[in-house]
Amino acid sequence: MSCTAAGAARAGGLVAVLALALALACLGCGVGATAPAGPEGAERAGRGGTRTAAEEVPCREALRFADQERLPAGAEDAVCVVRHGIDTLYDVRFRIGGTGFDTWLADTHPDLELGTDCAQEGADRCGVLTLDPYAEGGAVAVELTVRDEGDGRALVHYRPFDT
């Protein structure tokens, strides 16, 4: 076999292997139950067979889940929701001035480093911290995203969860 024929055979074999890997990876694509759109889609597969829609809860409940006593000083427009399923996720959303946020973060989670490579749409800074030890309230980790609003304030999403 000539050098060019051997190279073509190797390239063809590589293409075949890649095609097989792609086919196997997509074998389950579109298979299984999916949640319908609309109000009936508010529940998805999870613990006990369902994933609940977001439910508004008192922020005190959400913060206690992560062993926090209260919102940071200067926090405004707070809204807190919870989702249950295979895990529990709280989302504590609030606005706060930059120095108030920095002080709160340093006091509550000094090991949480924020980066700028965020997957969440609109987030300017983000980070995830595994709690060690886990929170007595149930959280094992917290995710934090920050969107700078340009007026010296930030929209913060503080998300403790128990996966």
Side-chain angles (χ1 to χ4, degrees):
M1 184 179 288
S2 71
C3 288
T4 54
R10 277 193 304 271
L14 179 60
V15 169
V17 168
L18 290 174
L20 177 62
L22 180 61
L24 289 174
C26 288
L27 192 59
C29 296
V31 176
T34 58
E40 62 277 5
E43 296 187 359
R44 299 184 186 262
R47 179 178 25 192
T50 60
R51 173 129 187 102
T52 62
E55 172 188 338
E56 194 165 335
V57 295
C59 287
R60 187 173 197 100
E61 173 187 326
L63 292 165
R64 283 186 180 157
F65 185 68
D67 291 350
Q68 301 300 311
E69 290 297 317
R70 64 185 63 86
L71 287 164
E76 302 173 338
D77 306 326
V79 175
C80 300
V81 297
V82 64
R83 286 183 178 265
H84 295 286
I86 196 166
D87 58 355
T88 298
L89 169 72
Y90 284 90
D91 187 356
V92 180
R93 293 171 280 187
F94 59 90
R95 288 184 168 75
I96 190 168
T99 58
F101 171 76
D102 294 337
T103 301
W104 171 74
L105 184 58
D107 289 346
T108 58
H109 301 297
D111 296 331
L112 178 53
E113 295 182 23
L114 298 179
T116 57
D117 188 23
C118 305
Q120 299 84 355
E121 187 175 324
D124 295 308
R125 296 175 285 159
C126 57
V128 176
L129 177 69
T130 300
L131 302 175
D132 185 21
Y134 296 159
E136 289 181 19
V140 300
V142 295
E143 175 187 65
L144 188 70
T145 59
V146 181
R147 184 178 72 209
D148 297 316
E149 295 194 316
D151 61 355
R153 295 183 334 147
L155 175 62
V156 176
H157 284 259
Y158 177 73
R159 297 182 185 101
F161 58 94
D162 69 356
T163 298

